[in-house]
Every structure is written in C-alpha cells, then in structure tokens.
Amino acid sequence: MLLSDLIADLRLDLSDPGASLFEDQTLERCVRKAVFRVGRDLDQSLTVTAGEITPDPTGEVRELLVIVAQIHACQVMRSATANAFSFSSGDKRVDKTGQPGHWAKLEADLLADYRQRLTELRPATQLDQEAYILTPSGLTPVIYEQGIDLDVVE
C-alpha cells in the first residue's frame, strides 16, 4: 500500500480534503508513527520503504493505522492550538481557547476506539489503561534473594 493512499484516507477522516488544517509532511509523519505503533501492538513487522507500507495492510489493520494516525494528528493540533487566544471588542467576541480541549477529547475518543479494536483483534493482549503499555497475559515476576544457594547444573 502506498503511503500517499493512507494519507488520503487520513485526510478524509480528519475532514481536511482541501489540506487547510494539515500539511502533507505533518500527515506523513503521523502515518509513519502509526505504522511503527500498530506494527508493535500487533506483533507484525510493518515498515515504510520508498513510500510504500509493507506488508500491505488490509481490513482492520488498515483501519487501525488510520485511527492511530488520527491520534497523532490530534496531538499535533493540540500543540498547534495550545497558545490560542480569546479576544473581545464591544459586542464581538472570539474565543479559541477551547480548541486544545476539543482536540484532546477527540484524541481520547480515538484512543478508546483503538484500544477496543485492538482488544478484539488480539484478545490475549491486556491493555494498561494508564500508561499505554501492552502486557501479554501470564507473566510472573522472578524474585531473587541474597543468600540462597542455587545448584548449578553442568
């Protein structure tokens, strides 16, 4: 799949078909970050080489890539709107200070959707809601204590 095809899908989902909100380089960076993250979460080797994502993501994997790229785009917009202003003059008022909060809400909604879809795809994987770390089930810690002699088998 071409990187540009996924960027076009991302533009549609972000309601930015005219490229008024996001530059191509910004969305390309969002997609590249999504490829790495989704590949890691699905335990697949997804890579971007010469403008093409390999292996070709289809179906639900493609949708996960778009969702994670949207999450990264929301993070970009939160940063870009962090210094938004509020202005009033007479009976006119412009308040853009709520924009970062709206982007943060969209990001949180998309992240919840991503987690749900990922859990459906890989039910054996447990998601830590606090720090976003995927933890395989069935892991137990190994505790070593000083003073215990272990028999060495040769």
Side-chain angles (χ1 to χ4, degrees), residues 38-45 122:
V38 171
R40 183 190 64 202
D41 291 348
L42 294 177
D43 198 24
Q44 293 182 3
S45 180
R122 297 193 63 197

Side-chain angles (χ1 to χ4, degrees), residues 113-131:
D113 185 31
Y114 176 73
R115 287 178 171 158
Q116 177 186 353
R117 287 177 179 226
L118 187 62
T119 302
E120 289 170 3
L121 235 106
R122 297 193 63 197
T125 304
Q126 298 173 353
L127 292 172
D128 178 5
Q129 297 296 328
E130 296 299 318

Side-chain angles (χ1 to χ4, degrees), residues 92-150:
K92 308 230 189 260
R93 178 178 161 95
V94 176
D95 187 2
K96 296 187 175 190
T97 57
Q99 288 181 355
H102 295 301
W103 284 108
K105 170 118 176 53
L106 178 59
E107 179 186 346
D109 291 345
L110 289 166
L111 185 56
D113 185 31
Y114 176 73
R115 287 178 171 158
Q116 177 186 353
R117 287 177 179 226
L118 187 62
T119 302
E120 289 170 3
L121 235 106
R122 297 193 63 197
T125 304
Q126 298 173 353
L127 292 172
D128 178 5
Q129 297 296 328
E130 296 299 318
Y132 185 73
I133 296 175
L134 290 177
T135 308
S137 59
L139 291 181
T140 57
V142 177
I143 300 172
Y144 294 99
E145 295 181 22
Q146 282 185 323
I148 296 178
D149 292 329
L150 298 176

Side-chain angles (χ1 to χ4, degrees), residues 8-122:
D9 290 347
L10 179 59
R11 269 200 194 284
L12 288 175
D13 286 357
L14 289 169
S15 299
D16 188 32
S20 59
L21 289 175
F22 298 97
E23 295 180 7
D24 285 337
Q25 296 103 346
T26 303
L27 292 184
E28 181 178 338
R29 173 74 175 135
C30 292
V31 169
R32 286 180 183 274
K33 289 170 74 173
V35 168
F36 172 74
R37 182 170 173 178
V38 171
R40 183 190 64 202
D41 291 348
L42 294 177
D43 198 24
Q44 293 182 3
S45 180
L46 292 173
T47 59
V48 178
T49 308
E52 191 170 340
I53 302 170
T54 55
D56 191 21
T58 57
E60 192 65 20
V61 175
R62 182 180 173 135
E63 288 304 310
L64 288 176
L65 284 171
V66 172
I67 290 170
V68 174
Q70 284 178 300
I71 290 169
H72 289 301
C74 288
Q75 292 169 347
V76 167
M77 288 307 289
R78 281 177 57 195
S79 176
T81 60
N83 58 358
F85 62 90
S86 175
F87 174 78
S88 62
S89 174
D91 63 342
K92 308 230 189 260
R93 178 178 161 95
V94 176
D95 187 2
K96 296 187 175 190
T97 57
Q99 288 181 355
H102 295 301
W103 284 108
K105 170 118 176 53
L106 178 59
E107 179 186 346
D109 291 345
L110 289 166
L111 185 56
D113 185 31
Y114 176 73
R115 287 178 171 158
Q116 177 186 353
R117 287 177 179 226
L118 187 62
T119 302
E120 289 170 3
L121 235 106
R122 297 193 63 197

